[in-house]
Amino acid sequence: MQPDTTPEAGTIRPEAMLSVRGLKKVYQTDGGDIEAVRNLTFDLRAGELACLVGPSGSGKTTLLKCISGLMAPTEGEVLLDGKRVSGPPKKMAVVFQEYGRSLFPWMRVRDNVALPLKNQGVPKAERDRLVDEALEAVGLSHVPRSYPWQLSGGMQQRVAIARAIAYQPEVLLMDEPFAAVDAQTRADLEDLIRTIWKKFGVTVLFVTHDIDESVYLGERVIILSSSPTVVQEDIRIDLPVERDQLETRSLPRFTELRHHVYEQIQLAKKGHRPAAAEPAQAGSAAKPA
Ligand SMILES: Nc1ncnc2c1ncn2[C@@H]1O[C@H](COP(=O)(O)OP(=O)(O)OP(=O)(O)O)[C@@H](O)[C@H]1O
Ligand SMILES: [Mg+2]
């Protein structure tokens, strides 16, 4: 059975929490212009968990920087709950791969998690409650007074996740957050993301290099082409909502889906582009493999 490629991929639905419309990003460098992202259009419903995969250099980080308002797109726009993003929005949080650099080593775990709330002027009692809830959610209630450097890599990444959720974002963006941790820790963190997603009902866009991870985690996988980037394919992951590292990964359907995503990435790496992306064939729909 082939994966369900979302027929309406590319169209904007009014109820979208996050809309990326015709996004293009060209970096201007001394060596000339670099077109990192050519034309990306997709949207996420409120409460959706979508994974984004694509070859290295396909513009995944560039896209997240544009979505989070850290960088302006060259063309196109990003809408958060219908409003155009023109700077870092209040209701969006980002977790990057390099937790080591995103936490302040001289601040205790608790203070690291509380910092964005403090900056936002959240009163102390409310702040304490949100920090406690976030530390509890990531299983770190026992180390609030530790410093990040006293913790393992996986625990540090949990602190970064706690900081993001304490902020109560409507949209959580994650850029290869588990790339630097060992396989066992990674599996635990994947389950943590699904748990948090269900508990807080947050909309998640999770960027990963790892095909298995994208299929295991997502309700949907958006596959990017190689640079200059367009959406290669947008597929629905029709696995049961309750996922289990052993059982889900042993399902025949899991194998079919990972096989399909793998094939698409290989095609993307070879420069294959969806028909709809090529102006000469405009009007024809992107075909599933
Ligand atoms: N600040 C910059 N200035 C110039 N070019 C850049 C800059 N940042 C990224 N690029 C280029 O834009 C393209 C996309 O880069 P980006 O880092 O967004 O890709 P990526 O998909 O996140 O890659 P990876 O999988 O390796 O993390 C690449 O060709 C990269 O060299
Ligand atoms: Mg990147």
Side-chain angles (χ1 to χ4, degrees), residues 54-245:
S56 185
S58 59
K60 303 182 292 295
T61 299
T62 300
L63 170 67
L64 286 202
K65 285 182 180 163
C66 291
I67 293 177
S68 57
L70 296 171
M71 199 163 69
T74 308
E75 279 175 27
E77 61 181 1
V78 175
L79 303 177
L80 175 64
D81 211 4
K83 287 180 213 70
R84 189 182 179 137
V85 170
S86 55
K90 242 183 171 182
K91 286 293 162 193
M92 206 184 267
V94 195
V95 176
F96 293 104
Q97 177 183 340
E98 290 159 332
Y99 47 81
R101 278 204 270 165
S102 69
L103 300 174
F104 293 115
W106 62 88
M107 287 173 101
R108 296 179 193 276
V109 163
R110 202 183 167 80
D111 299 328
N112 263 289
V113 174
L115 190 64
L117 298 171
K118 212 170 170 179
N119 290 344
Q120 221 189 324
V122 176
K124 176 139 183 11
E126 172 71 352
R127 213 159 68 208
D128 284 348
R129 187 186 68 74
L130 290 168
V131 171
D132 286 343
E133 188 186 29
L135 286 175
E136 161 99 42
V138 301
L140 284 183
S141 298
H142 57 302
V143 289
R145 296 188 53 76
S146 298
Y147 290 97
W149 47 268
Q150 294 175 309
L151 307 176
S152 69
M155 287 167 93
Q156 290 181 43
Q157 193 55 301
R158 280 172 196 264
V159 177
I161 295 167
R163 184 172 59 188
I165 59 177
Y167 194 61
Q168 298 182 287
E170 281 170 3
V171 175
L172 177 59
L173 306 175
M174 307 188 92
D175 193 3
E176 305 207 33
F178 310 148
V181 298
D182 63 88
Q184 183 55 56
T185 304
R186 186 175 190 140
D188 292 345
L189 289 171
E190 286 166 3
D191 290 331
L192 174 67
I193 292 303
R194 291 217 28 118
T195 305
I196 284 173
W197 166 65
K198 280 185 246 167
K199 180 173 159 81
F200 295 96
V202 61
T203 308
V204 182
L205 184 60
F206 188 102
V207 168
T208 176
H209 257 114
D210 187 318
I211 293 162
D212 287 50
E213 182 168 81
S214 71
V215 173
Y216 181 73
L217 268 184
E219 290 185 285
R220 176 177 164 198
V221 174
I222 302 168
I223 305 168
L224 300 186
S225 73
S226 50
S227 189
T229 307
V230 295
V231 174
Q232 170 108 359
E233 202 180 28
D234 191 339
I235 67 170
R236 189 139 297 284
I237 302 299
D238 51 1
L239 294 169
V241 177
E242 288 308 320
R243 304 214 177 150
D244 175 88
Q245 290 287 351

